[in-house]
Amino acid sequence: MLPGVGVFGTGQTVRTLVPLLQKEGFPVQAVWGHTQEEAESLAGELDIPFSTNKTDDVLLHPEVHLVCILTPPPHTRQIAVKALGIGKNVISEQAATLTDACKMVTAARYYPQLLSIMGNSLRFLPAFVQMKHLLGEGYCGNLQVCEARVYGGTLLSQSYGWAWEELMGGGGLHTVGSCIIDLLSHLTGRWAVRVHGMLRTFVRQGSPPGGIRSVTADDYACFQLLMSGGVVCSVTLNFNLPGTDVHEIMLVGSSGRLVARGTELYGQRASMQVEELLLSDDGEGVGPSVRGLNSMVTQLRLSFQAQEDRRSWARHPVSMAASFEDGLYVQTVVDAIKRSNRTGEWESVEVKIQDVDPNHNHRTLPN
């Protein structure tokens, strides 16, 4: 028996996730929307039996044992903490602030028997699973440099909302950059110790229904991460390129390189004249995030399906998922990049877990 799922949010990711859950056999029992109309519309579209604009109606639903939080960032922490507190397993998007991320870690540590993972599906993309495996086998030799490029069209919603406001978790750095920061730490097994970054908002005004509104969320970000062990990461995000869809991660070492372009993986050892295709696209024609989400949902099914209790889960199938502590690390790096943008200086990354364990206020860096 797979657990019943309650979904928070009505955006495009929800429209992608729910059919994938249903295809794998998860009964999606309830959906929450900002308004009752939004929730009812999505429920009708995706064949979800219950819809509401009240969070408690989903959290207390007797058939919901797994909660997926895909709301605007300011709502994330409140729902995640409350869900864990009443015994629900949780998959969550990035919180809006460092304080929120700390509170989510506190709740996850207090209920270790419950599933509490971040929703970064890139970790599950087959190209990155293979990339991490080959890196560990020494394909690249000693890792030296990581480069990431993500280009695309605007991230702004048609109507004014959180995506327009930096303080509400909008912008390329928070919504896309956080996934790349997490992915780089996952692939390399290292955390950033210092960062330097520049953020820009080139589209400063929008014209949603109701008049002209200002935009504070970044649509361009360029930042460098100095990782433990001396590995250097360089990331460029540009969302001023309509009609463009570039998603490339490259790892360069002393004896070779690995490059993930979209959903395909390429490699070239120092002794080779041309690069080789290591993993081809499966022909589905979807982007990295959607392809990764598909794989993530499959692993979720494997985690839950062998359990007698619908609330129980096995750790191994989802062991590559980001924890809430990984989410806190990512939020710490994001905040440090924002500080660097203001100061023009390199900024240190210190991951502080507040109100969790007074004897372990700082989490040590991985080797």
Side-chain angles (χ1 to χ4, degrees), residues 36 40 117 119 122 141 147 179 187 191 229 252 265 270 317 326:
Q36 185 66 38
E40 288 178 358
I117 60 175
L122 291 179
E147 293 189 3
C179 294
L187 291 173
W191 276 6
V252 182
L265 179 64
D326 292 318

Side-chain angles (χ1 to χ4, degrees), residues 19-39:
L20 293 176
L21 288 166
Q22 292 168 331
K23 180 183 175 183
E24 290 288 345
F26 286 93
V28 180
Q29 301 285 6
V31 62
W32 172 93
H34 183 65
T35 66
Q36 185 66 38
E37 292 74 20
E38 284 181 4

Side-chain angles (χ1 to χ4, degrees), residues 1-4 26-27 29 62-66 89 304 307-313:
M1 289 287 289
L2 294 175
F26 286 93
Q29 301 285 6
E63 297 301 318
V64 168
H65 302 292
L66 172 63
N89 296 299
F304 282 103
Q307 308 300 310
E308 294 182 4
D309 185 338
R310 283 182 294 179
R311 291 170 293 186
S312 300
W313 55 286

Side-chain angles (χ1 to χ4, degrees), residues 314-327:
R315 295 183 184 275
H316 179 71
V318 291
S319 59
M320 73 181 77
S323 67
F324 280 14
E325 291 188 6
D326 292 318

Side-chain angles (χ1 to χ4, degrees), residues 203-267:
V203 178
R204 293 182 171 274
Q205 286 188 332
S207 301
I212 296 174
R213 300 294 296 260
S214 62
V215 180
T216 61
D218 62 275
D219 52 27
Y220 176 86
C222 180
F223 56 90
Q224 292 76 46
L225 312 175
L226 180 60
M227 313 293 274
S228 57
V231 175
V232 178
C233 298
S234 178
V235 180
T236 304
L237 313 172
N238 191 344
F239 300 102
N240 297 286
L241 298 166
T244 305
D245 185 16
V246 173
H247 194 287
E248 181 177 292
I249 309 289
M250 179 167 63
L251 307 183
V252 182
S254 57
S255 60
R257 70 174 184 263
L258 291 163
V259 189
R261 299 188 185 103
T263 59
E264 296 185 328
L265 179 64
Y266 298 83

